[in-house]
Amino acid sequence: MRQHRVSSLSRRARLRLLLRRILRRDTSSPKLLLLAALAGLLTGLICCGFEWLLDELVARRLGVLQALPDLWRWSAAFVSGAVLAGFAIWLAQRFAPEAGGSGIPEIEGALEGLRPVRWARVLPVKFVGGLAALGSGMMLGREGPSVQIGGNIGAMVATLESKSADSRHALLAAGAAAGLTAAFNAPLAAILFVLEELRAQFRYSFVSVKAVSVAVISATLVRHALMGDKPIFAMPELTAPPLTHLSAYLLLGCLAGVMGTLLNRLVGWGQDAYLRWHAGRRMVLVLTVALFGGVFGLLSLTNLGWHGGGMVQIPQWMTVPLPLQLLLALLLWRTLGTLICFCSGIPGGIFAPLLALGTLLGVVWAHSLGLWFPELLDQQMALGLVGMSALFAASVRAPVTGILLVTEMSNNFNLILPMMLATLGATLVAQALGGKPLYSQILARTLRLAQWQQNSRHAPGAENT
């Protein structure tokens, strides 16, 4: 009896000790994960709303234009494109310059503590400005706005628990990843984007990786509930190419490495050219971008992808037989158009235009090889998808993200081996040519300009100039 009483007291003591340990345990991890889930939920809702409103804006604009007589149609297309583009660049320049462009370099700078996060002004400007910019028909992607919106939502949610700098950092990264998965329905690629592309700024810990994963899961559930669980590209399931054809994919990757390096350098040159042209004069920049917006507004009345981000036309380029001359013209025009649109600083991403250019590069490669090896023409879709991942890897320098992104967007998992070969060739060639990762290059330029502006304001006599 006494032994039973002692045993009972021992159990109670152990239970009290366990309760004390639970109560004393740090509760920051559960709080952080709950906030990450909230950030993912809000990001999914807002980014899906952004996508839906953009589709509505484009459909209604084109519907009104198609109902007009021919002369009025073309005039209205130019004017509407000019007004939307001009308004988008004015809004960003006037109220939140950091909301211009892709927004992904701003997130990288914020994670590194080099750029401020002013979510209260960035969120409305990026949302409204992004709608206007993409709705004009300019060659821009919605993933840039989605990632920056998600990152700023993460920063906003972090104000609910502002004691820990590490928590704010993790929520910023988690929101950015949620934005990417809400835009492309690619949760694995979104997590890898943070771990690979943002590796220099992201503070690795078990808790921070869990926060990113929870936010991505939350955003994915919202997207599936609102937009459906379907891949971005409606494509058939492709079979793996024969081993004897893998050299064609490796050579495509090397070609993508050259193109990605050149494209990144042209982006830097184009941004500097815009700056020299407007020299800080806001109305000059607004009128210039409005003029280009009018041109792309006109082109929005055409087919085959002479305008827009290219996400709608990508499956068409890979499935519809088009002449090689037309595909080359599209590749050259879309390269120029992407530079014109993105380098202006208008709110919009370059992710989608990059994927479109990679697709065209792969399809052109398939047609070129088909002149000597007709059997490779049957692999046009496979080469297009692999070209997409290879050019992304060469430009952004995130090969694993590129592979997973294209795989999830197309629901084709049999092309992982040729994608690995192509992205390896692309990154090796880009590195050999001295190319710099696109977003790191843009961030470095942004920091230089910010430092120059700060020095100019503090220079002697600056108050009188």
Side-chain angles (χ1 to χ4, degrees):
M1 185 71 177
R2 184 178 179 181
Q3 184 179 3
H4 175 72
R5 190 178 298 118
V6 171
S7 177
S8 178
L9 289 173
S10 178
R11 284 197 298 269
R12 290 175 186 175
R14 288 198 299 268
L15 180 59
R16 283 196 297 268
L17 181 60
L18 178 61
L19 286 175
R20 288 195 191 100
R21 288 178 179 175
I22 292 175
L23 292 174
R24 291 174 180 173
R25 177 181 289 180
D26 181 18
T27 58
S28 61
S29 177
K31 287 181 181 178
L32 177 61
L33 297 184
L34 286 174
L35 292 175
L38 177 60
L41 172 66
L42 294 176
T43 300
L45 288 172
I46 293 176
C47 291
C48 288
F50 182 87
E51 182 178 345
W52 181 81
L53 286 173
L54 178 61
D55 291 342
E56 285 292 309
L57 175 62
V58 172
R60 290 181 181 274
R61 174 176 173 269
L62 292 179
V64 170
L65 292 175
Q66 294 296 341
L68 296 174
D70 288 344
L71 180 60
W72 287 101
R73 180 187 306 137
W74 293 99
S75 302
F78 180 89
V79 171
S80 61
V83 169
L84 287 169
F87 170 72
I89 191 69
W90 173 82
L91 186 68
Q93 291 291 314
R94 173 65 179 82
F95 295 104
E98 64 267 42
S102 167
I104 294 177
E106 289 289 336
I107 297 298
E108 291 186 355
L111 287 171
E112 205 163 348
L114 300 174
R115 297 292 292 168
V117 181
R118 303 184 180 99
W119 56 266
R121 72 181 195 180
V122 168
L123 285 175
V125 170
K126 195 70 173 188
F127 190 93
V128 177
L131 283 177
L134 274 68
S136 69
M138 297 186 81
M139 290 184 184
L140 301 163
R142 68 173 185 270
E143 75 296 323
S146 297
V147 171
Q148 190 172 19
I149 286 172
N152 278 264
I153 289 175
M156 179 186 71
V157 170
T159 59
L160 301 175
E161 175 60 77
S162 58
K163 296 180 181 178
S164 171
D166 288 339
S167 295
R168 294 195 296 272
H169 184 277
L171 288 171
L172 182 65
L180 183 58
T181 196
F184 284 155
N185 192 24
L188 288 177
I191 296 173
L192 256 294
F193 180 76
V194 171
L195 301 181
E196 186 178 34
E197 168 58 22
L198 306 182
R199 64 190 180 278
Q201 299 85 17
F202 184 63
R203 299 174 188 171
Y204 286 92
S205 70
F206 185 58
V207 175
S208 62
V209 173
K210 281 197 298 183
V212 170
S213 302
V214 167
V216 165
I217 292 170
S218 181
T220 304
L221 291 174
V222 172
R223 180 176 176 86
H224 289 180
L226 297 179
M227 314 293 287
D229 181 14
K230 54 183 182 294
I232 298 296
F233 301 134
M235 297 190 62
E237 185 176 350
L238 304 176
T239 58
L243 295 179
T244 54
H245 292 174
L246 289 181
S247 58
Y249 292 85
L250 178 60
L251 291 174
L252 171 61
C254 296
L255 185 61
V258 175
M259 182 176 177
T261 303
L262 177 61
L263 184 65
N264 288 6
R265 290 177 180 171
L266 289 175
V267 166
W269 180 86
Q271 290 177 320
D272 292 340
Y274 265 105
L275 183 59
R276 286 193 298 268
W277 169 250
H278 65 78
R281 298 168 294 177
R282 184 184 299 156
M283 286 313 299
V284 174
L285 177 60
V286 170
L287 292 174
T288 302
V289 174
L291 176 62
F292 287 131
V295 173
F296 285 98
L298 281 173
L299 291 173
S300 65
L301 296 176
T302 64
N303 297 318
L304 291 182
W306 301 99
H307 70 285
M311 300 299 289
V312 176
Q313 291 81 17
I314 282 176
Q316 183 181 5
W317 295 331
M318 289 188 287
T319 55
V320 177
L322 298 172
L324 178 59
Q325 295 85 347
L326 177 59
L327 291 168
L328 280 171
L330 277 169
L331 179 61
L332 293 174
W333 167 246
R334 288 198 64 90
T335 301
L336 177 62
T338 298
L339 294 170
I340 290 173
C341 298
F342 180 73
C343 294
S344 68
I346 195 169
I350 197 173
F351 242 62
L354 268 179
L355 298 178
L357 288 175
T359 303
L360 286 170
L361 178 66
V363 175
V364 167
W365 181 245
H367 278 254
S368 302
L369 290 178
L371 298 176
W372 294 277
F373 309 99
E375 65 274 12
L376 287 174
L377 275 176
D378 296 333
Q379 299 179 38
Q380 175 175 307
M381 284 189 285
L383 286 164
L385 290 174
V386 171
M388 203 187 303
S389 63
L391 185 61
F392 178 88
S395 179
V396 180
R397 210 65 62 80
V400 182
T401 301
I403 292 171
L404 276 178
L405 183 67
V406 176
T407 299
E408 289 186 286
M409 290 173 67
S410 64
N411 199 30
N412 268 286
F413 293 85
N414 292 326
L415 300 178
I416 289 181
L417 178 58
M419 283 185 187
M420 290 174 65
L421 283 172
T423 54
L424 175 64
T427 50
L428 288 176
V429 169
Q431 186 175 4
L433 294 175
K436 298 179 180 179
L438 179 62
Y439 294 125
S440 300
Q441 168 188 308
I442 296 173
L443 174 59
R445 179 181 181 274
T446 301
L447 295 175
R448 287 197 305 269
L449 288 177
Q451 185 63 46
W452 177 81
Q453 291 170 354
Q454 184 178 2
N455 294 339
S456 299
R457 284 195 297 267
H458 291 86
E463 294 82 0
N464 300 322
T465 59

